Amino acid sequence: MAIRLPVICLLGSFMVVAIAADLTPERYWSTALPNTPIPNSLHNLLTLDFTDEKSTNVQVGKGGVNVNTHKGKTGGRTAVNVGKGGVRVDTGKSKPGGGTHVSVGSGKGHGGGVAVHTGKPGKRTDVGVGKGGVTVHTRHKGRPIYVGVKPGANPFVYNYAAKETQLHDDPNAALFFLEKDLVPGKAMNVRFNAEDGYGGKTAFWPRGEAETVPFGSEKFSETLKRFSVEAGSEEAEMMKKTIDECEAKKVGGEEKYCATSLESMVDFSVSKLGKYHVRAVSTEVAKKNAPMQKYKIAAAGVKKLSDDKSVVCHKQKYPFAVFYCHKAMMTTVYAVPLEGENGMRAKAVAVCHKNTSAWNPNHLAFKVLKVKPGTVPVCHFLPESHVVWFSY
């Protein structure tokens, strides 16, 4: 028995890994965190809708599933409609391996769902519809999609030095404020969507696929080739900036990690906070692409969510969703209801850092607030695509 026990344990470990690898990112979340709802900011990155000319659009409603994928050429369009009446497929491709394949199951064979695969292997779109919901995975051809914002330093990495011009040119500067300002009626000028250039239209990849892409400076040329990005281009500069930030030295006793998948973000956060009493929250704004405007803290007031440790994850620039996560001690997390001057409401999440003594003295926050490191708590609202984890 003493000889067989390690073998049995090893086989059990393989089974756990195999089961985890077979789960979609969303199912992995619900398995690892059964009592923690997934924030909208992360859920949206699982079902992202691309609308450029070489896009795949997916619509899911009570009437069924509608998938349209095209290359911008006449006759190059594939349409799949799944409804109560059955399945209809229209494809404009006739080359081997480039068509659309639809499987409709009823029972154990297909799990009672629908599977759609369109495009060539490695560059295809997969749509699965079953009892667990809908999953969509699009593998891009050629260059990744970016929002046209010139690359710059990430204001949520606390060891960088901001330039004087960023006080005026960086809309993220408005996200920083002092803890004493968190009172009903306080007015602040904020644009919550300002971080779009720090992530853009990029969705999560399943961990198994994300891990096949080299992530690091040593194999950066190989990564550029994988995404057909030209060295020295703006896209390449964005990607290199993300990798540099992930490989930079820690600030003070900070524990940091760059999550290249939702699954790896869950694992890091759980390892720091536990799994049974943990929440993940993000800012929610009623309207997308809202302009910079004056918001007032609503009379209902500010609610403290946590006053100890937290894990804050900031979305980075990369061809697929990558988050810079760091465990922060001596932090307070607040829920802040806001009302815009145009009537728009926001449920903002704010993080206040009580100890900033290890931050770069030239960090953007100190320039905006005119304070010195380690003197007063420094707070910032979370952009919509970012998330904070905390214990309760």
Side-chain angles (χ1 to χ4, degrees), residues 32-179:
L33 299 168
N35 301 315
T36 305
I38 184 169
N40 288 338
S41 62
L42 298 181
H43 191 272
N44 292 341
L45 298 181
L46 297 172
T47 56
L48 199 60
D49 179 24
F50 295 94
T51 56
D52 68 327
E53 67 174 358
K54 296 182 179 180
S55 67
T56 298
N57 303 316
V58 181
Q59 298 176 330
V60 183
K62 293 182 179 180
V65 180
N66 181 280
V67 180
N68 292 287
T69 176
H70 56 90
K71 288 189 169 183
K73 297 177 181 179
T74 304
R77 176 173 174 273
T78 300
V80 181
N81 296 281
V82 183
K84 293 182 179 180
V87 180
R88 187 182 70 199
V89 180
D90 300 306
T91 178
K93 278 201 160 193
S94 57
K95 296 181 180 180
T100 299
H101 309 281
V102 182
S103 301
V104 182
S106 58
K108 297 181 180 180
H110 295 88
V114 179
V116 181
H117 309 286
T118 178
K120 295 180 180 179
K123 297 179 180 179
R124 68 195 307 171
T125 297
D126 305 311
V127 181
V129 184
K131 292 181 179 179
V134 179
T135 60
V136 181
H137 186 203
T138 300
R139 298 165 176 82
H140 305 293
K141 293 185 67 175
R143 299 161 71 90
I145 301 170
Y146 285 105
V147 174
V149 176
K150 192 171 181 60
N154 188 332
F156 304 107
V157 176
Y158 306 121
N159 61 355
Y160 91 98
K163 299 177 181 178
E164 290 296 334
T165 55
Q166 286 185 264
L167 288 172
H168 309 286
D169 300 336
D170 190 347
N172 280 303
L175 297 175
F176 291 96
F177 58 93
L178 297 176
E179 191 172 26

Side-chain angles (χ1 to χ4, degrees), residues 367-390:
K367 292 181 177 293
V368 172
L369 303 175
K370 295 180 173 58
V371 298
K372 294 182 179 180
T375 56
V376 294
V378 170
C379 306
H380 61 78
F381 289 120
L382 283 184
E384 289 180 86
S385 62
H386 300 202
V387 62
V388 60
W389 304 68
F390 60 89

Side-chain angles (χ1 to χ4, degrees), residues 236-390:
E237 189 178 346
M238 289 189 212
M239 294 167 65
K240 187 61 167 62
K241 181 76 70 174
T242 289
I243 291 173
D244 288 344
E245 290 174 352
C246 290
E247 294 180 341
K249 293 182 179 180
K250 299 178 181 179
V251 177
E254 176 189 47
E255 297 180 62
K256 67 173 187 175
Y257 173 74
C258 276
T260 59
S261 66
L262 180 64
E263 298 94 319
S264 59
M265 184 196 295
V266 169
D267 289 350
F268 177 75
S269 301
V270 166
S271 72
K272 304 305 175 186
L273 302 172
K275 65 179 293 185
Y276 295 107
H277 298 285
V278 63
R279 283 188 62 194
V281 295
S282 56
T283 294
E284 297 183 8
V285 182
K287 183 179 179 181
K288 297 298 180 185
N289 301 316
M292 174 80 77
Q293 65 171 308
K294 183 176 292 184
Y295 288 89
K296 285 187 177 181
I297 298 179
V302 177
K303 180 180 179 182
K304 183 183 292 187
L305 301 177
S306 175
D307 195 24
D308 184 14
K309 58 185 177 181
S310 61
V311 172
V312 188
C313 295
H314 307 286
K315 195 167 186 289
Q316 301 293 102
K317 300 173 182 177
Y318 215 66
F320 55 86
V322 171
F323 280 78
Y324 178 103
C325 298
H326 56 101
K327 178 185 176 182
M329 303 298 292
M330 298 181 67
T331 57
T332 306
V333 181
Y334 292 99
V336 186
L338 298 174
E339 296 177 352
E341 58 186 354
N342 65 353
M344 190 176 70
R345 296 176 182 272
K347 297 178 182 178
V349 175
V351 178
C352 292
H353 302 266
K354 301 176 186 177
N355 184 5
T356 60
S357 57
W359 292 21
N360 190 311
N362 292 315
H363 187 276
L364 179 62
F366 302 132
K367 292 181 177 293
V368 172
L369 303 175
K370 295 180 173 58
V371 298
K372 294 182 179 180
T375 56
V376 294
V378 170
C379 306
H380 61 78
F381 289 120
L382 283 184
E384 289 180 86
S385 62
H386 300 202
V387 62
V388 60
W389 304 68
F390 60 89

Side-chain angles (χ1 to χ4, degrees), residues 174-229:
L175 297 175
F176 291 96
F177 58 93
L178 297 176
E179 191 172 26
K180 67 180 181 64
D181 294 325
L182 284 175
V183 293
K186 177 66 178 181
M188 303 180 189
N189 288 315
V190 186
R191 182 188 173 198
F192 284 105
N193 304 99
E195 90 291 358
D196 285 349
Y198 290 89
K201 297 179 179 179
T202 52
F204 278 118
W205 282 12
R207 175 157 54 185
E209 184 162 351
E211 290 179 348
T212 66
V213 180
F215 188 84
S217 55
E218 291 185 0
K219 295 186 177 181
F220 186 60
S221 59
E222 184 179 336
T223 305
L224 293 180
K225 184 177 180 181
R226 172 73 178 266
F227 291 105
S228 302
V229 174

